[in-house]
Amino acid sequence: SYGLTQPPSVSVSPGQTASITCSGDKLGDKYACWYQQKPGQSPVMVIYQDSKRPSGIPERFSGSNSGNTATLTISGTQAMDEADYYCQAWDSGTVVFGGGTKLTVL
Amino acid sequence: EVQLLESGGALVQPGGSLRLSCAASGFTFSNYAMTWVRQAPGKGLEWVSAISGGGGRTYYADSVKGRFTISGDNSKNTLYLQMNSLRAEDTAVYYCAKDQATGTPRYGMDVWGQGTTVTVSS
């Protein structure tokens, strides 16, 4: 079955750029999206179709997808961005989630 | 306002059954693929099942195939998940989510409900 791999944790200083990767076989041939989840809350989509931002998502969130890796980039990271982030793709009749990355803003 | 409201979560014994509901409002329910996603305590998101817009096609994770059934009632704008032969490992918060796609759920889930808790324990 298809799998997506994310680093368990990423740390970033306030104001710096955070990058979270998501790896999967030929992931660049599929659409990748990203969700943010804060403790006790439902997930929120922050990127869809590799690089598009839903309405209401700040411009500091961006995405790319090529080869075997999709990347979520948060520019000028703020304390409010501290959360778990999940990548997701559709493959052969299944929705696949990555294991999630805990972003810590130190 | 686009909204999803899940209900039906409960404490159930192993081997029991439960039906979850997800009431949709603010969009044309039959036009979009819908998905159930669960999250066990302290764990990540796990996809459970999906249905294409209009309900023509259904999809299941291997972990629930043969035990869970997804369906939708377009007249009631409601998504369902019938869960049979429940196991302890099915314990989780269950979210319903609306996909951006009309057919297969391939574009990502832009609207999520607040979740409903299912606990399988004796």
Side-chain angles (χ1 to χ4, degrees), chain B residues 39-58:
Chain B
Q39 187 169 35
K43 302 297 184 181
L45 301 176
E46 180 189 11
W47 173 68
V48 174
S49 182
I51 188 167
S52 61
R57 287 163 288 174
T58 57

Side-chain angles (χ1 to χ4, degrees), chain B residues 99-119:
Chain B
D99 200 274
Q100 297 186 91
T102 56
T104 52
R106 63 198 314 165
Y107 293 150
M109 293 155 262
D110 60 346
V111 181
W112 294 67
Q114 86 291 346
T116 188
T117 300
V118 173
T119 304

Side-chain angles (χ1 to χ4, degrees), chain A residues 28 30-34 47-52 62-65 71:
Chain A
K30 313 175 195 305
Y31 278 130
C33 57
W34 292 89
I47 292 291
Y48 68 99
Q49 291 184 32
D50 298 338
S51 60
K52 298 179 180 178
S62 62
S64 63
N65 185 17
T71 303

Side-chain angles (χ1 to χ4, degrees), chain B residues 11 14 29-30 32-33 57 69 76 79 85 100:
Chain B
L11 171 63
F29 177 76
S30 60
Y32 294 93
R57 287 163 288 174
T69 302
K76 296 182 178 180
L79 179 73
S85 303
Q100 297 186 91

Side-chain angles (χ1 to χ4, degrees), chain A residues 93-97, chain B residues 20 34-40 45-51 58-70 80-83 89-90 92-96 109:
Chain A
T94 65
V95 172
V96 183
F97 284 101
Chain B
L20 305 183
M34 298 291 295
T35 299
W36 287 98
V37 175
R38 67 185 180 185
Q39 187 169 35
L45 301 176
E46 180 189 11
W47 173 68
V48 174
S49 182
I51 188 167
T58 57
Y59 310 89
Y60 298 95
D62 287 343
S63 58
V64 306
K65 200 171 294 183
R67 301 189 298 125
F68 291 11
T69 302
I70 190 171
Y80 302 101
L81 185 68
Q82 177 66 44
M83 304 187 294
E89 54 264 35
D90 295 319
V93 174
Y94 284 73
Y95 297 100
C96 74
M109 293 155 262

